[in-house]
Amino acid sequence: SQTIHQWPATLVQPVGSPLSLECTVEGTSNPNLYWYRQAAGRGLQLLFYSVGIGQISSEVPQNLSASRPQDRQFILSSKKLLLSDSGFYLCAGQAGELYEQYFGPGTRLTVT
Amino acid sequence: AQTVTQSQPEMSVQEAETVTLSCTYDTSESNYYLFWYKQPPSRQMILVIRQEAYKQQNATENRFSVNFQKAAKSFSLKISDSQLGDTAMYFCAFMKLSQFYFGTGTSLTVIP
């Protein structure tokens, strides 16, 4: 089965600073990859998903961007963070279109 | 677009008792997949159970079972012999061709 790694676990950043969150996948090749944001006590909001290297689909217009430089690496970025970017960010992977998603441990981002 | 509805924001159950969490969805598709995920206080998303829509038999995983009613578009989760470790948010999810749709979650508290 696949394992999703995410780092950092916790991040505190000032408004206007850049952001880079990394997600890597172990145990499968050519996975579909997803970035979600979750507000406290709320559901999951899909931000980006990728079906392959360099292929990114954006679900929500926002201050964030995503990149997939390698098959099993997915990066979430921002050039200038806003207060509204605070939240819990989850990376997920899917081994194939008939399979469930597996999630990483998440990154708690606080923008001050 | 598909929608997933969890109408019970919060529920509680006595330890060792049985509890059922509700989920309904709206789709015009005939082949799809349904999942229940658990998110404990650590916020790690954990797959609990999956159901293929073409299978009439309800899925079971140890103390967890589902009642899948395809015509009614209903997918409830039954937890038997509830344990303190079952305290978590539970999310119902619909998947078709790598597109995932999550409900807003049910917060379950197991009372000792």
Side-chain angles (χ1 to χ4, degrees):
Chain A
S1 64
Q2 60 181 295
T3 302
I4 311 294
H5 301 281
Q6 273 187 258
W7 63 90
T10 305
L11 192 60
V12 180
Q13 292 283 93
V15 168
S17 63
L19 172 73
S20 180
L21 301 181
E22 188 164 346
C23 168
T24 59
V25 181
E26 184 181 340
T28 189
S29 58
N30 196 31
N32 296 326
L33 296 174
Y34 306 78
W35 278 112
Y36 293 92
R37 179 167 58 201
Q38 184 181 30
R42 304 291 295 275
L44 301 177
Q45 178 189 31
L46 178 64
L47 302 175
F48 301 95
Y49 76 93
S50 171
V51 297
I53 296 173
Q55 301 179 64
I56 309 294
S57 295
S58 173
E59 292 296 309
V60 181
Q62 61 212 332
N63 186 42
L64 303 170
S65 62
S67 62
R68 187 169 175 175
Q70 300 181 44
D71 179 47
R72 287 176 280 185
Q73 183 185 29
F74 202 26
I75 298 171
L76 182 68
S77 304
S78 174
K79 292 182 179 178
K80 289 186 178 182
L81 284 168
L82 306 173
L83 287 174
S84 58
D85 292 324
S86 293
F88 188 67
Y89 289 82
L90 284 160
C91 179
Q94 184 196 31
E97 67 177 28
L98 301 182
Y99 297 92
E100 57 271 17
Q101 284 181 330
Y102 285 92
F103 287 82
T107 295
R108 187 183 309 275
L109 172 66
T110 303
V111 183
T112 60
Chain B
Q2 332 309 321
T3 58
V4 179
T5 301
Q6 293 180 250
S7 59
Q8 305 152 313
E10 296 181 1
M11 295 188 71
S12 62
V13 62
Q14 291 291 136
E15 193 174 7
E17 297 295 308
T18 296
V19 64
T20 298
L21 280 57
S22 301
C23 173
T24 58
Y25 56 94
D26 184 21
T27 185
S28 58
E29 302 285 350
S30 58
N31 293 320
Y32 48 86
Y33 296 79
L34 296 165
F35 307 94
W36 278 98
Y37 283 89
K38 168 185 176 181
Q39 188 179 39
S42 67
R43 301 192 80 173
Q44 170 76 58
M45 291 282 283
I46 302 165
L47 177 69
V48 175
I49 201 164
R50 64 175 273 160
Q51 174 79 45
E52 293 86 351
Y54 63 85
K55 289 186 177 179
Q56 293 185 340
Q57 186 174 4
N58 290 324
T60 62
E61 285 289 344
N62 301 313
R63 298 183 295 108
F64 299 88
S65 61
V66 298
N67 183 5
F68 173 48
Q69 301 289 329
K70 191 173 183 179
K73 298 179 184 176
S74 172
F75 183 59
S76 61
L77 175 69
K78 185 172 82 170
I79 305 174
S80 303
D81 185 26
S82 296
Q83 300 175 0
L84 297 179
D86 295 333
T87 292
M89 280 286 287
Y90 287 82
F91 293 96
C92 177
F94 170 103
M95 189 274 283
K96 172 74 177 183
L97 295 177
S98 299
Q99 298 296 308
F100 287 80
Y101 303 88
F102 287 85
T104 52
T106 295
S107 177
L108 176 68
T109 301
V110 179
I111 303 167

